[in-house]
Amino acid sequence: MKRVVTLFCFLGIFSIFFSCKQNTIPNIGFYGVNTQTRESFSDSFKRFFGDTPYSVITLDDSLPLSEALKKQKQVSLVISWFGPDSDDLDKKLITPDPALYNRYPTTVRNLSSTWVPLLGDHSEIAYRLRNLRNRKEGMPRTLEEVTAYAGSIQGKENVARWPIVLPGQDDRALSLFMTSLVEATWNAETAKNLNRLITETEQKALAASRKAKGLEVISVYDEVKDVPLNADGATLQTVIDMLNQWRADDLLHPEWETRKPNYVEILMEDGQAEIVFMPLSIHRTMNFRVVQNFTESFMPVNRQNGADFSRSLVIPALCAAGIHQKAKGADAETLRLLDFLTGNDELSEISIVSGLAPLTSAAEAADSQANNVRFWAAASDELVQDMGSAFTSKGERTAFFEAVRASIQ
């Protein structure tokens, strides 16, 4: 009997020891991050950990982040595009030393007190240089000037067939473009009101779906599209009506909402696109000999006289957050990793490989395009997340943008 008790005690001690040993291995989780961007961190992780074992995990982004982390235990650092957090997750995040945020412009450091910004994407407006050079007024300064410029070049010799194109089949491109239109036409608060409305409606839809055993009961798009977002009565439908009018006026490619990035690149290469709305992340996938014929800017303002002309930038932020661990010293190690990743040398390397914009003040950017995004972010009043970032469910987000495309007439 004593031998049995001794054996069980030994096994119990061994199990506890093995469990604690496993918990000391850092696990880094990526959530909703594409392969190229994930791989841009590889060398930095190798330099930080050296011979120390660590693992990199791709979290299940079909689940909300809080649920994905419950499914995959012992993640000490998560890298994800910034979005709504559950109260349950927020309690588990490590709060970095406030001094770490001194590396950022004020606009960027105010994004969060627990998530540390690393890289930014952005919806740029790119103009074909061939004809822009001949415009005596220079680059359009308002959205009205953009559409007037697009209209003025229609049918002229040596001008692209389509004044305005965008890769509307890509969810991120569509999300960034439409959110930027909301901010430019009204203000940042209107865009944030839309994001809050989407998040609240999505939670109701998910709860209703659970009660209905997985069946879709509430369409987030149908519930959101006609809800006023400000005192002017702006709605998501107002933006869709604006785009439908652009198409009716032959300013916008007639099938823009179903065009993929490679199709837009072909139009640009063949001189058939004059003005292109696209994210920096899609710009990075295009051949340099194509994009060198264009110059980029942020979305110009389009507000009525006397309105608030302060500008905020719509820019999804790829962030990192530490998650509390029980293992002794694990949290301190996570904070050291955050400090390392946001250092100038490492963030510069990550930016160069990924092509995205570094969000700290001094890290070297991949090139002038990425540096411009960083400058625009620093010069703006605040960063605004795009409407796609307001979702916690990948399935609900996909269904929402499919409904947006189906509404285009």
Side-chain angles (χ1 to χ4, degrees):
M1 185 65 180
K2 288 183 178 179
R3 289 180 179 178
V4 174
V5 172
T6 302
L7 177 61
F8 274 103
C9 288
F10 175 78
L11 290 174
I13 292 170
F14 178 79
S15 177
I16 292 171
F17 172 79
F18 182 76
S19 175
C20 291
K21 187 70 174 176
Q22 287 291 97
N23 289 348
T24 62
I25 297 176
N27 294 319
I28 300 157
F30 283 91
Y31 177 81
V33 181
N34 66 25
T35 301
Q36 179 183 349
T37 306
R38 288 199 306 270
E39 291 178 350
S40 68
F41 287 83
S42 297
D43 289 343
S44 291
F45 292 150
K46 291 175 184 176
R47 281 190 286 272
F48 179 80
F49 289 109
D51 296 330
T52 303
Y54 71 97
S55 65
V56 176
I57 301 164
T58 301
L59 297 169
D60 184 357
D61 64 359
S62 69
L63 300 172
L65 178 55
S66 57
E67 293 182 23
L69 288 168
K70 289 177 182 177
K71 182 179 177 181
Q72 179 66 60
K73 304 292 185 181
Q74 306 304 328
V75 173
S76 56
L77 183 80
V78 63
I79 297 177
S80 170
W81 293 98
F82 187 76
D85 304 323
S86 67
D87 292 337
D88 182 46
L89 174 60
D90 198 48
K91 294 174 184 176
K92 297 178 181 179
L93 299 184
I94 302 170
T95 301
D97 184 340
L100 182 66
Y101 291 92
N102 291 337
R103 298 174 180 179
Y104 297 87
T106 303
T107 302
V108 179
R109 76 178 66 154
N110 290 336
L111 184 66
S112 172
S113 61
T114 51
W115 289 89
V116 177
L118 299 171
L119 302 169
D121 201 353
H122 172 65
S123 183
E124 64 186 38
I125 175 171
Y127 300 93
R128 189 176 177 224
L129 284 167
R130 177 172 180 168
N131 291 299
L132 183 67
R133 291 193 186 104
N134 298 325
R135 188 175 189 267
K136 62 181 181 180
E137 301 89 346
M139 191 177 290
R141 294 168 295 177
T142 68
L143 203 55
E144 288 181 350
E145 288 188 13
V146 172
T147 54
Y149 175 53
S152 70
I153 59 179
Q154 284 179 301
K156 289 188 177 180
E157 188 177 355
N158 297 322
V159 172
R161 171 66 182 88
W162 307 112
I164 301 175
V165 298
L166 68 136
Q169 183 61 40
D170 184 273
D171 284 353
R172 167 159 287 190
L174 183 58
S175 175
L176 282 169
F177 172 63
M178 293 187 68
T179 310
S180 296
L181 280 179
V182 172
E183 190 283 332
T185 304
W186 293 283
N187 51 35
E189 194 57 38
T190 302
K192 290 190 291 185
N193 286 342
L194 176 57
N195 291 349
R196 282 190 286 265
L197 178 63
I198 287 174
T199 300
E200 292 167 2
T201 307
E202 182 205 28
Q203 294 309 306
K204 293 177 184 177
L206 291 173
S209 177
R210 285 191 291 268
K211 288 182 180 179
K213 298 182 179 180
L215 297 175
E216 185 181 55
V217 179
I218 296 174
S219 163
V220 176
Y221 172 76
D222 287 340
E223 294 290 317
V224 164
K225 67 184 179 72
D226 294 316
V227 177
L229 304 172
N230 58 25
D232 295 331
T235 65
L236 180 61
Q237 186 61 50
T238 308
V239 179
I240 292 172
D241 291 343
M242 182 191 308
L243 296 176
N244 283 333
Q245 187 60 54
W246 285 12
R247 179 151 67 181
D249 293 339
D250 289 328
L251 302 180
L252 191 57
H253 190 287
E255 298 176 337
W256 69 269
E257 75 279 10
T258 61
R259 300 300 89 181
K260 296 181 178 180
N262 60 340
Y263 178 85
V264 171
E265 183 177 7
I266 291 171
L267 291 181
M268 294 168 68
E269 184 175 14
D270 291 345
Q272 297 303 307
E274 200 68 39
I275 301 169
V276 183
F277 290 97
M278 61 181 170
L280 175 65
S281 54
I282 287 180
H283 178 131
R284 291 296 175 227
T285 67
M286 294 183 175
N287 193 300
F288 175 71
R289 64 183 172 78
V290 175
V291 295
Q292 70 177 344
N293 296 316
F294 289 76
T295 186
E296 73 286 341
S297 175
F298 55 84
M299 182 76 75
V301 73
N302 196 45
R303 297 174 191 160
Q304 299 298 319
N305 290 333
D308 178 12
F309 274 82
S310 62
R311 291 308 306 271
S312 299
L313 196 69
V314 175
I315 175 169
L318 186 70
C319 298
I323 301 174
H324 286 296
Q325 302 294 305
K326 293 180 181 179
K328 184 178 179 181
D331 287 3
E333 184 77 352
T334 298
L335 288 173
R336 284 194 292 274
L337 177 56
L338 282 172
D339 179 75
F340 180 77
L341 292 176
T342 55
N344 289 338
D345 291 342
E346 294 306 319
L347 197 54
S348 293
E349 183 68 23
I350 294 167
S351 170
I352 290 169
V353 176
S354 69
L356 297 174
L359 292 179
T360 59
S361 298
E364 183 180 348
D367 55 19
S368 61
Q369 284 78 33
N371 197 53
N372 282 343
V373 173
R374 193 235 310 267
F375 172 76
W376 297 332
S380 63
D381 287 350
E382 62 178 316
L383 303 189
V384 177
Q385 301 306 296
D386 63 299
M387 63 179 76
S389 297
F391 287 89
T392 61
S393 164
K394 182 178 181 180
E396 291 291 341
R397 181 173 63 245
T398 300
F400 177 85
F401 287 114
E402 284 301 320
V404 169
R405 292 185 189 98
S407 72
I408 303 298
Q409 299 174 356

